[in-house]
Amino acid sequence: MSASPTNLGFPRKVVACYLLFTLAILCWLGGAVLLISHQIVNTQSTESSLSSLRKTASGMEISYLRHGTEELQKQVLEASSGPFIEYAAVVGTDGNILAHSNASLIGESEVQPQGSLVNWENIQGIRFMGSQGRQVQEYRIPLSVKSKHIGLLKIAFAESSLLATLSKVDRYAPLVVLIPLVFVTIGCKMMWSLTKGHSQIDSQLRSLAL
């Protein structure tokens, strides 16, 4: 005896619910993976920028002993050429800019950005919205030569956007998407087979009862 259309609708409903909940879980996991990757990328860029900050500060202190302020601009330009770097600058003890990646600001008074304070490995910084609509973190470190404070070095870098993070992990997307879909497809076929069998048995029992 053949199963009625009503009974055949039962396995379809079960499989549809299975697909709905499975795809919802996959979407949630995909979003979680993207957010975690985004946080990892920002953490790596922060560590890289702070490493560059310390390295540049040490080089400037050595250069200051030999050449005074003559090499500061060159070193600032080198420091600002790194990835994600928005700008780099050296501010003197009087608050005036001694060197800057934007040379037109040299000699001007420093204008501190307004934002929230952040701390990373005992280095204080400011997190604020940049001119291009991206979140920027500015960190600064004092410069000292023979226990004498000569100013401070500051480096600001832009945080990576979600789209930028997605572009970095897109090469892994096929594996992340296709492998779960294979298991979902196998699960659908198993659910269909199991529920279809039960539906046919139920239909036969109903026919006998009638």
Side-chain angles (χ1 to χ4, degrees):
M1 295 181 183
S2 60
S4 65
T6 302
N7 287 333
L8 283 176
F10 173 71
R12 293 193 184 100
K13 291 180 180 179
V14 172
V15 172
C17 290
Y18 169 80
L19 276 175
L20 177 64
F21 285 106
T22 303
L23 291 177
I25 292 173
L26 287 177
C27 290
W28 183 84
L29 288 175
V33 169
L34 179 59
L35 291 176
I36 293 173
S37 300
H38 179 63
Q39 184 62 36
I40 291 174
V41 169
N42 279 331
T43 299
Q44 289 177 341
S45 63
T46 300
E47 291 177 345
S48 175
S49 298
L50 291 180
S51 175
S52 174
L53 180 67
R54 294 190 183 94
K55 182 178 179 181
T56 304
S58 298
M60 284 183 173
E61 290 171 347
I62 295 173
S63 177
Y64 187 88
L65 281 172
R66 299 174 179 174
H67 310 288
T69 60
E70 295 179 3
E71 299 291 326
L72 290 182
Q73 181 62 18
K74 178 182 177 182
Q75 291 174 309
V76 162
L77 291 176
E78 291 176 353
S80 62
S81 63
F84 302 108
I85 301 297
E86 286 283 298
Y87 60 83
V90 175
V91 181
T93 54
D94 58 356
N96 291 330
I97 297 173
L98 301 178
H100 201 290
S101 52
N102 181 359
S104 63
L105 297 177
I106 297 176
E108 300 288 336
S109 297
E110 179 195 15
V111 178
Q112 294 189 10
Q114 299 297 318
S116 57
L117 294 178
V118 291
N119 290 283
W120 190 275
E121 298 181 358
N122 300 322
I123 299 178
Q124 286 191 342
I126 301 175
R127 187 172 185 262
F128 62 96
M129 184 65 70
S131 58
Q132 298 182 355
R134 295 189 299 177
Q135 290 290 339
V136 176
Q137 295 185 35
E138 178 191 286
Y139 290 92
R140 50 183 61 202
I141 188 170
L143 298 173
S144 300
V145 175
K146 294 183 177 180
S147 301
K148 178 184 177 182
H149 180 60
I150 61 173
L152 60 88
L153 168 67
K154 61 179 185 178
I155 292 180
F157 65 93
E159 296 181 3
S160 176
S161 64
L162 281 174
L163 287 178
T165 301
L166 183 60
S167 66
K168 291 184 177 182
V169 299
D170 60 354
R171 58 180 175 177
Y172 303 108
L175 290 177
V176 174
V177 174
L178 292 178
I179 291 178
L181 285 179
V182 169
F183 285 103
V184 170
T185 303
I186 294 173
C188 285
K189 290 183 177 181
M190 293 178 64
M191 290 287 290
W192 175 265
S193 299
L194 291 173
T195 54
K196 186 178 180 181
H198 285 295
S199 180
Q200 290 175 344
I201 293 172
D202 181 68
S203 178
Q204 292 174 0
L205 291 175
R206 287 176 182 271
S207 298
L208 292 173
L210 294 175

Short mmCIF file of all heavy atoms in Angstrom, two decimals, residues 39-66:
data_model
loop_
_atom_site.label_atom_id
_atom_site.label_comp_id
_atom_site.label_asym_id
_atom_site.label_seq_id
_atom_site.Cartn_x
_atom_site.Cartn_y
_atom_site.Cartn_z
N GLN A 39 39.21 39.48 16.60
CA GLN A 39 39.91 39.84 17.83
C GLN A 39 41.37 39.41 17.77
O GLN A 39 42.25 40.15 18.22
CB GLN A 39 39.21 39.18 19.02
CG GLN A 39 39.78 39.56 20.38
CD GLN A 39 39.64 41.04 20.67
OE1 GLN A 39 38.65 41.66 20.29
NE2 GLN A 39 40.63 41.63 21.32
N ILE A 40 41.63 38.24 17.20
CA ILE A 40 43.02 37.76 17.08
C ILE A 40 43.83 38.67 16.18
O ILE A 40 44.98 39.02 16.48
CB ILE A 40 43.03 36.31 16.56
CG1 ILE A 40 42.46 35.37 17.62
CG2 ILE A 40 44.44 35.89 16.19
CD1 ILE A 40 42.29 33.94 17.13
N VAL A 41 43.23 39.09 15.05
CA VAL A 41 43.94 39.97 14.11
C VAL A 41 44.27 41.30 14.78
O VAL A 41 45.39 41.83 14.65
CB VAL A 41 43.09 40.21 12.84
CG1 VAL A 41 43.68 41.33 12.00
CG2 VAL A 41 43.02 38.93 12.02
N ASN A 42 43.31 41.87 15.53
CA ASN A 42 43.55 43.14 16.21
C ASN A 42 44.62 42.99 17.30
O ASN A 42 45.44 43.89 17.51
CB ASN A 42 42.26 43.68 16.82
CG ASN A 42 41.39 44.39 15.80
OD1 ASN A 42 41.88 44.96 14.83
ND2 ASN A 42 40.08 44.34 16.00
N THR A 43 44.59 41.86 17.99
CA THR A 43 45.61 41.62 19.02
C THR A 43 47.00 41.52 18.40
O THR A 43 47.97 42.09 18.92
CB THR A 43 45.29 40.32 19.79
OG1 THR A 43 44.02 40.45 20.43
CG2 THR A 43 46.35 40.06 20.85
N GLN A 44 47.10 40.82 17.28
CA GLN A 44 48.39 40.69 16.60
C GLN A 44 48.89 42.04 16.10
O GLN A 44 50.09 42.34 16.19
CB GLN A 44 48.26 39.71 15.44
CG GLN A 44 48.10 38.27 15.88
CD GLN A 44 47.89 37.33 14.72
OE1 GLN A 44 47.53 37.75 13.61
NE2 GLN A 44 48.11 36.05 14.94
N SER A 45 47.99 42.87 15.55
CA SER A 45 48.41 44.19 15.06
C SER A 45 48.83 45.08 16.22
O SER A 45 49.77 45.87 16.08
CB SER A 45 47.27 44.84 14.27
OG SER A 45 46.15 45.08 15.10
N THR A 46 48.17 44.94 17.37
CA THR A 46 48.56 45.72 18.55
C THR A 46 49.95 45.31 19.02
O THR A 46 50.80 46.17 19.30
CB THR A 46 47.55 45.52 19.69
OG1 THR A 46 46.25 45.95 19.26
CG2 THR A 46 47.95 46.34 20.91
N GLU A 47 50.18 44.02 19.11
CA GLU A 47 51.49 43.54 19.55
C GLU A 47 52.59 43.97 18.58
O GLU A 47 53.69 44.35 18.99
CB GLU A 47 51.46 42.01 19.67
CG GLU A 47 50.60 41.50 20.81
CD GLU A 47 50.53 39.99 20.85
OE1 GLU A 47 50.92 39.36 19.84
OE2 GLU A 47 50.08 39.45 21.87
N SER A 48 52.29 43.91 17.28
CA SER A 48 53.27 44.33 16.28
C SER A 48 53.57 45.82 16.40
O SER A 48 54.74 46.24 16.31
CB SER A 48 52.72 44.02 14.88
OG SER A 48 53.59 44.51 13.88
N SER A 49 52.54 46.62 16.62
CA SER A 49 52.74 48.07 16.74
C SER A 49 53.52 48.42 18.00
O SER A 49 54.39 49.30 17.98
CB SER A 49 51.38 48.78 16.74
OG SER A 49 50.69 48.57 15.53
N LEU A 50 53.22 47.75 19.10
CA LEU A 50 53.95 48.03 20.34
C LEU A 50 55.41 47.57 20.24
O LEU A 50 56.30 48.22 20.79
CB LEU A 50 53.26 47.34 21.52
CG LEU A 50 51.90 47.89 21.90
CD1 LEU A 50 51.31 47.14 23.07
CD2 LEU A 50 51.99 49.38 22.24
N SER A 51 55.63 46.48 19.54
CA SER A 51 57.01 46.04 19.31
C SER A 51 57.76 47.08 18.49
O SER A 51 58.93 47.40 18.78
CB SER A 51 57.01 44.69 18.60
OG SER A 51 58.31 44.28 18.28
N SER A 52 57.09 47.61 17.47
CA SER A 52 57.69 48.66 16.65
C SER A 52 57.92 49.92 17.47
O SER A 52 58.94 50.61 17.32
CB SER A 52 56.78 48.97 15.46
OG SER A 52 57.27 50.07 14.71
N LEU A 53 57.01 50.22 18.39
CA LEU A 53 57.14 51.39 19.25
C LEU A 53 58.38 51.30 20.12
O LEU A 53 59.18 52.24 20.21
CB LEU A 53 55.88 51.53 20.11
CG LEU A 53 55.82 52.71 21.08
CD1 LEU A 53 55.73 54.02 20.32
CD2 LEU A 53 54.61 52.58 22.01
N ARG A 54 58.56 50.15 20.76
CA ARG A 54 59.73 49.97 21.63
C ARG A 54 61.03 50.00 20.83
O ARG A 54 62.02 50.62 21.25
CB ARG A 54 59.61 48.65 22.39
CG ARG A 54 58.46 48.59 23.38
CD ARG A 54 58.58 47.34 24.23
NE ARG A 54 57.47 47.19 25.14
CZ ARG A 54 56.38 46.47 24.89
NH1 ARG A 54 56.28 45.83 23.72
NH2 ARG A 54 55.41 46.36 25.77
N LYS A 55 61.03 49.32 19.69
CA LYS A 55 62.23 49.25 18.86
C LYS A 55 62.61 50.64 18.35
O LYS A 55 63.79 51.03 18.38
CB LYS A 55 61.99 48.30 17.69
CG LYS A 55 63.20 48.12 16.80
CD LYS A 55 62.89 47.12 15.68
CE LYS A 55 64.09 46.95 14.75
NZ LYS A 55 63.80 45.99 13.65
N THR A 56 61.61 51.39 17.89
CA THR A 56 61.88 52.73 17.38
C THR A 56 62.35 53.65 18.49
O THR A 56 63.26 54.47 18.28
CB THR A 56 60.61 53.31 16.73
OG1 THR A 56 60.16 52.43 15.70
CG2 THR A 56 60.88 54.67 16.13
N ALA A 57 61.75 53.53 19.68
CA ALA A 57 62.15 54.37 20.81
C ALA A 57 63.61 54.12 21.18
O ALA A 57 64.38 55.06 21.42
CB ALA A 57 61.24 54.11 22.00
N SER A 58 64.01 52.86 21.22
CA SER A 58 65.40 52.54 21.54
C SER A 58 66.35 53.11 20.50
O SER A 58 67.41 53.68 20.83
CB SER A 58 65.58 51.02 21.64
OG SER A 58 64.78 50.48 22.66
N GLY A 59 65.99 52.97 19.22
CA GLY A 59 66.83 53.51 18.15
C GLY A 59 66.93 55.03 18.22
O GLY A 59 68.00 55.59 17.94
N MET A 60 65.83 55.68 18.58
CA MET A 60 65.85 57.15 18.68
C MET A 60 66.74 57.62 19.82
O MET A 60 67.45 58.63 19.71
CB MET A 60 64.43 57.67 18.86
CG MET A 60 63.60 57.65 17.60
SD MET A 60 61.96 58.37 17.86
CE MET A 60 61.36 58.38 16.15
N GLU A 61 66.69 56.92 20.93
CA GLU A 61 67.52 57.31 22.07
C GLU A 61 69.01 57.18 21.73
O GLU A 61 69.81 58.05 22.09
CB GLU A 61 67.16 56.45 23.28
CG GLU A 61 65.78 56.77 23.84
CD GLU A 61 65.33 55.77 24.89
OE1 GLU A 61 65.97 54.69 25.01
OE2 GLU A 61 64.36 56.06 25.59
N ILE A 62 69.37 56.12 21.02
CA ILE A 62 70.77 55.95 20.61
C ILE A 62 71.15 57.03 19.59
O ILE A 62 72.24 57.63 19.67
CB ILE A 62 70.97 54.55 20.01
CG1 ILE A 62 70.75 53.48 21.09
CG2 ILE A 62 72.36 54.43 19.41
CD1 ILE A 62 70.78 52.06 20.55
N SER A 63 70.25 57.28 18.65
CA SER A 63 70.52 58.29 17.62
C SER A 63 70.64 59.69 18.23
O SER A 63 71.44 60.51 17.78
CB SER A 63 69.41 58.27 16.56
OG SER A 63 69.60 59.28 15.60
N TYR A 64 69.83 59.95 19.25
CA TYR A 64 69.86 61.27 19.90
C TYR A 64 71.22 61.54 20.54
O TYR A 64 71.71 62.68 20.53
CB TYR A 64 68.74 61.36 20.94
CG TYR A 64 68.58 62.73 21.54
CD1 TYR A 64 67.75 63.66 20.94
CD2 TYR A 64 69.24 63.08 22.71
CE1 TYR A 64 67.58 64.93 21.49
CE2 TYR A 64 69.10 64.34 23.27
CZ TYR A 64 68.27 65.25 22.65
OH TYR A 64 68.10 66.52 23.20
N LEU A 65 71.82 60.49 21.08
CA LEU A 65 73.15 60.65 21.69
C LEU A 65 74.19 61.04 20.64
O LEU A 65 75.12 61.81 20.93
CB LEU A 65 73.57 59.34 22.36
CG LEU A 65 72.97 59.03 23.73
CD1 LEU A 65 73.35 57.63 24.17
CD2 LEU A 65 73.45 60.05 24.76
N ARG A 66 74.03 60.55 19.42
CA ARG A 66 75.02 60.77 18.38
C ARG A 66 74.73 62.01 17.53
O ARG A 66 75.64 62.75 17.16
CB ARG A 66 75.11 59.55 17.48
CG ARG A 66 75.52 58.28 18.21
CD ARG A 66 75.42 57.07 17.27
NE ARG A 66 75.82 55.83 17.94
CZ ARG A 66 75.73 54.62 17.39
NH1 ARG A 66 75.26 54.51 16.14
NH2 ARG A 66 76.11 53.56 18.06
#
